[in-house]
Amino acid sequence: MRICTFLPSATEIVYMLGLGDSLYGVSHECDFPSDALEKPKVVRSRFDPDTLSSSEIDKLVTEMMMRGENIYEVDVDTLTEARPDLVITQQLCEVCAVSFEDVQQAVERLDSPANVLSLDPHGIDDVLTDIIRVGVHTGRDSPAHHAVFNLRARIDLVRRAVAKAEDTPTVACVEWLDPVIAAGHWIPEMVEIAGGRDVLVSPGSPSPRLDMKTLTDADPDVLILMPCGMNVAQARTEFDALTSLYEWREMCAFRNGRVYAVDSGALFSRSGPRLVDGLEIMARILHPDLFSDPTPEEFCVKL
């Protein structure tokens, strides 16, 4: 089978199922495992986000969507050369990845038909189910079920560990800093499993834009900054550049030294198997006294 993936989480699932050699095309954002960097790119962004600030990216994306322009482009020539039997994409967010409609149109132009599988999870169970679905579509049912069994076991270990906690801290997870966007979908559920209470979004709900007052009024015990697609260093740089730092620093989380920047691009914003790694780090953030292992600084730093 020849596979093309249009989102990083799908690429991670394909590799986890031992299908890296069957992967003939990936998106421009697929960087894990490192072998994915060498694969042909079947989708590209129409602008370079590394040259822009959070507010500039938001303004540009908003303007493009209002004009009906695509944020991402399918490289039809590369897709044609890949000759895929299976294309894995999504319909969850047109800001995060190429639209489902664009993928469908590109696939329809291929000389030979390809199956299109859309992954659109809103919670942890949905992510695990998607792993099974990819396994079924690729003939890797057994490895998929084995992987999901192990991931569920790790999730259960977190649940059992935080069950010993004496408190349930209030938590705010922010996936964009300027403007403020709270992290939705699977993130509030991760907070709950990790022994906290999300004060901004309920599990499974979309990520809402907030005004600064809504965030400061929520006044969480713990604040986790996870700008979508950014690593720790990028998140820290974005935060330090904010003009509203005074308002942020007035919150309880800052006064108590419980503000963290995490590697969202690796462990939180992608709906793949490494969300469980993110869950384990989140549990250590919320209940450090219950865990003996330190949190790796490459994935999480205290601000």
Side-chain angles (χ1 to χ4, degrees):
M1 175 173 287
R2 301 173 67 90
I3 305 169
C4 286
T5 60
F6 283 77
L7 62 161
S9 58
T11 296
E12 294 185 22
I13 293 171
V14 167
Y15 271 99
M16 185 178 66
L17 298 182
L19 294 167
D21 289 342
S22 299
L23 193 57
Y24 286 83
V26 300
S27 84
H28 62 294
E29 293 184 324
C30 293
D31 57 8
F32 185 88
S34 58
D35 286 353
L37 293 167
E38 305 303 319
K39 299 291 184 178
K41 305 298 185 288
V42 292
V43 62
R44 55 180 175 259
S45 174
R46 294 186 60 210
F47 65 89
D48 182 5
D50 293 336
T51 64
L52 304 172
S53 67
S54 292
S55 60
E56 289 170 336
I57 292 173
D58 179 76
K59 180 181 179 181
L60 179 58
V61 168
T62 300
E63 290 175 349
M64 291 176 72
M65 295 186 72
M66 288 182 66
R67 292 194 298 263
E69 299 178 7
N70 295 329
I71 302 170
Y72 306 98
E73 294 177 330
V74 177
D75 188 326
V76 178
D77 291 338
T78 302
L79 183 64
T80 300
E81 292 175 6
R83 295 182 290 109
D85 303 300
L86 176 66
V87 169
I88 307 177
T89 185
Q90 59 92 48
Q91 299 183 69
L92 188 66
C93 177
E94 293 188 8
V95 174
C96 301
V98 64
S99 74
F100 182 76
E101 290 74 18
D102 287 348
V103 174
Q104 275 192 316
Q105 290 174 11
V107 169
E108 288 171 0
R109 295 172 62 180
L110 297 176
D111 294 332
S112 56
N115 291 324
V116 178
L117 174 62
S118 182
L119 309 181
D120 308 298
H122 292 274
I124 299 297
D125 279 344
D126 296 337
V127 173
L128 300 180
T129 298
D130 280 343
I131 294 173
I132 300 294
R133 292 174 64 214
V134 174
V136 169
H137 278 76
T138 57
R140 300 288 288 172
D141 307 52
S142 180
H145 281 282
H146 181 70
V148 168
F149 177 86
N150 289 335
L151 291 172
R152 287 194 184 279
R154 290 168 59 191
I155 293 170
D156 288 342
L157 283 175
V158 172
R159 289 186 189 275
R160 290 201 294 271
V162 301
K164 304 171 186 176
E166 296 180 355
D167 66 329
T168 303
T170 57
V171 184
C173 296
V174 179
E175 73 170 31
W176 205 252
L177 303 179
D178 187 12
V180 177
I181 302 178
H185 302 294
W186 48 84
I187 296 296
E189 182 183 3
M190 290 174 67
V191 170
E192 184 178 292
I193 295 172
R197 181 172 66 85
D198 195 309
V199 293
L200 297 179
V201 190
S202 58
S205 298
S207 302
R209 289 183 179 235
L210 306 174
D211 55 41
M212 195 64 203
K213 186 175 186 303
T214 300
L215 178 59
T216 55
D217 284 351
D219 202 21
D221 299 319
V222 181
L223 178 63
I224 305 177
L225 307 180
M226 49 177 67
C228 188
M230 296 187 189
N231 60 31
V232 169
Q234 291 169 324
R236 194 168 201 165
T237 298
E238 287 293 316
F239 178 74
D240 289 342
L242 291 175
T243 58
S244 55
L245 280 179
Y246 174 79
E247 294 176 90
W248 288 82
R249 295 189 183 280
E250 285 298 297
M251 285 185 280
C252 173
F254 272 97
R255 295 196 303 272
N256 295 334
R258 303 196 69 183
V259 180
Y260 302 83
V262 297
D263 189 335
S264 179
L267 307 182
F268 294 93
S269 60
R270 297 179 178 179
S271 54
R274 288 194 294 167
L275 281 181
V276 178
D277 297 68
L279 173 66
E280 292 166 343
I281 287 176
M282 186 178 286
R284 283 169 169 76
I285 289 174
L286 302 187
H287 299 287
D289 55 312
L290 298 178
F291 299 90
S292 57
D293 297 336
T295 301
E297 291 190 0
E298 62 182 303
F299 295 121
C300 174
V301 295
K302 182 181 289 189
L303 299 183

